[in-house]
Amino acid sequence: MSHSMGLTERVEHIRELAPRDAAEELVRLPADDIQFILSRLPAEQALVIASHLGEVAAPDAAATRAVLSGMEETIGELMTPPTATLPDSYTVAEALTFMVKSADVSEISYIFVTNEDRLVGVVGMRDLILSKPSESLASIMVPEPFAFQQDTRVEDAVSEVLYRHYRMYPVVDEQQHVVGEVRGWKLYERIATELSAQAGSQYGVAKEEQINTPVLAAFRMRHPWLQVNLITAFAAAFVVGMFESTIAQIVALAAFLPVLAGQSGNTGCQALAITLRGITLGQIKDYPISQLLRKEILLGALNGAAVGVIAGIAMFAYAVTTDSANPAMLGLVIFIAMVGACMGSGIFGVAVPLLLKRFGADPATASSIFLTTFTDIIGMGLMLFLATSLVL
């Protein structure tokens, strides 16, 4: 494939090749070019070619591995060379001449305008075409444009693009010299990747695992978290064991333990999902944690009360039919325990991912494992404690 070929022409060239031949062509290109070309192909064809990339890539082909796994951590790793950077003294006519001579004119969305090599403005194609040929770029540019630094973390950049919907973002160094550009679709692609990976990550499924991951590799990724889950489950079992005599005397409680655990667990997972989404999209920075906690506590109380009434009535009826002691008090115990468990699970749904992030861990990884343990302990522990105190 000729290096003088534009990216658009390369897309068409790759489209006509067999998957393995296409992969062999792509592997010679920079990571950003590979990403761009794959994104322009039909989804089915892109996936087949991507599967061959891993086979034809050399062991040290870090650029290709980055494309396939989303390993870029900073904007500097994600950026591509700038397509159009011109001095502010250029006229519209000169800028149009530059574009006509550009090999990748179809890839130009903005012209980055500089003064003494420093970024001072941006000119969009619409403004350029509608302006008089004699006007200077300085007179039609948007001054002081938003730009990323090379060392800006990708997760921070993702938060910015949610509020700045541009097709292209300039990248500058410490002296405000334009060193590259980042396309908006790359950052939105990262958002989609992170959100899609969260569902599995919450249960200990690594983001790198795909449907075609070999069995042993998948086992190594998943099994450690199952061991963690086993250890945390022992903690919940220990709490239930502390009230063994209570369960022996009030057998009806055993029937409602899974009911309480299920409701509180679902409440916690709802709060967890919202918190993880807020972290991924960067919304957590603009929303006070205390306010989020108050919201989830209130939601937990309302949801707990709504389901607690029904569960309390069900406990009362079950206790009556099984001749258990004090059916009315048992119904009240279930109601109070349901409210308390749902409030507590809302707190843990917010706290678990934030604590994981605070200590430098991936906030999505196995959050649900820890959350389930905490909600089981507080829910079942509260119900058995209330039953011991109020009924026996």
Side-chain angles (χ1 to χ4, degrees):
M1 192 186 300
S2 170
H3 286 287
S4 62
M5 188 182 296
L7 280 179
T8 302
E9 294 169 308
R10 284 174 174 170
V11 172
E12 295 304 318
H13 177 73
I14 292 294
R15 195 190 298 268
E16 297 171 358
L17 297 177
R20 187 173 182 85
D21 293 337
E24 290 175 349
E25 292 276 7
L26 286 176
V27 77
R28 304 188 187 105
L29 300 177
D32 46 85
D33 286 1
I34 301 175
Q35 264 187 325
F36 178 85
I37 292 171
L38 290 178
S39 71
R40 292 300 190 271
L41 297 175
E44 193 169 311
Q45 183 183 14
L47 287 173
V48 174
I49 293 174
S51 68
H52 284 283
L53 273 173
E55 300 172 10
V56 302
D60 59 346
T64 302
R65 290 198 300 274
V67 171
L68 296 178
S69 62
M71 292 165 54
E72 301 91 347
E73 295 183 356
T74 65
I75 286 295
E77 299 173 61
L78 202 61
M79 70 181 186
T80 59
T83 51
T85 304
L86 298 175
D88 60 356
S89 59
Y90 262 46
T91 63
V92 170
E94 290 174 317
L96 291 173
T97 300
F98 165 83
M99 291 183 62
V100 169
K101 295 180 178 180
S102 175
D104 291 327
V105 64
S106 62
E107 307 303 327
I108 299 176
S109 298
Y110 303 111
I111 293 177
F112 303 137
V113 184
T114 61
N115 183 294
E116 297 181 353
D117 293 330
R118 293 173 177 268
L119 179 67
V120 294
V122 170
V123 174
M125 293 301 99
R126 181 178 181 277
D127 294 330
L128 186 69
I129 293 171
L130 296 179
S131 299
K132 296 178 181 179
S134 59
E135 288 187 275
S136 67
L137 295 183
S139 63
I140 65 171
M141 71 182 185
V142 176
E144 300 181 1
F146 172 80
F148 287 121
Q149 296 286 330
Q150 279 182 282
D151 58 355
T152 300
R153 294 185 60 80
V154 172
E155 61 184 40
D156 295 329
V158 163
S159 304
E160 291 288 349
V161 302
L162 292 172
Y163 304 99
R164 307 174 190 276
H165 304 288
Y166 306 137
R167 293 186 61 189
M168 193 92 67
Y169 300 86
V171 182
V172 298
D173 59 18
E174 294 179 355
Q175 288 74 42
Q176 293 299 300
H177 298 157
V178 179
V179 293
E181 62 190 25
V182 173
R183 299 182 183 276
W185 63 264
K186 285 189 178 182
L187 295 171
Y188 281 108
E189 184 181 70
R190 179 60 64 87
I191 296 173
T193 301
E194 290 295 323
L195 289 175
S196 64
Q198 281 180 3
S201 295
Q202 292 177 36
Y203 298 94
V205 177
K207 295 179 181 179
E208 294 79 11
E209 184 178 343
Q210 306 295 330
I211 58 173
N212 59 349
T213 301
V215 172
L216 289 179
F219 175 78
R220 287 194 298 270
M221 293 177 186
R222 297 188 194 184
H223 187 71
W225 289 112
L226 294 179
Q227 294 288 357
V228 173
N229 186 48
L230 180 63
I231 295 172
T232 56
F234 284 146
F238 175 76
V239 171
V240 174
M242 292 174 58
F243 297 95
E244 185 178 354
S245 60
T246 300
I247 297 175
Q249 296 178 64
I250 310 174
V251 180
L253 291 173
F256 279 79
L257 284 174
V259 175
L260 185 66
Q263 289 297 326
S264 61
N266 286 337
T267 302
C269 286
Q270 289 174 344
L272 175 64
I274 293 299
T275 305
L276 286 174
R277 186 181 301 168
I279 292 173
T280 300
L281 299 180
Q283 298 168 338
I284 205 75
K285 298 177 182 178
D286 304 321
Y287 198 86
I289 303 301
S290 58
Q291 189 172 340
L292 179 59
L293 283 170
R294 286 196 297 270
K295 171 190 171 184
E296 292 302 333
I297 291 172
L298 180 58
L299 278 172
L302 292 174
N303 287 323
V307 297
V309 169
I310 299 174
I313 294 173
M315 170 57 95
F316 175 79
Y318 184 76
V320 169
T321 56
T322 55
D323 294 326
S324 296
N326 208 335
M329 189 59 70
L330 284 175
L332 179 62
V333 165
I334 292 297
F335 173 79
I336 297 173
M338 191 70 76
V339 173
C342 288
M343 291 173 65
S345 62
I347 295 173
F348 288 125
V350 174
V352 168
L354 291 179
L355 285 174
L356 286 173
K357 184 175 177 64
R358 179 70 177 272
F359 288 106
D362 183 350
T365 302
S367 290
S368 185
I369 292 176
F370 296 107
L371 176 66
T372 301
T373 300
F374 293 144
T375 54
D376 284 350
I377 289 175
I378 191 173
M380 294 187 292
L382 180 59
M383 184 183 76
L384 294 172
F385 172 79
L386 290 172
T388 303
S389 303
L390 300 179
V391 179
L392 297 182

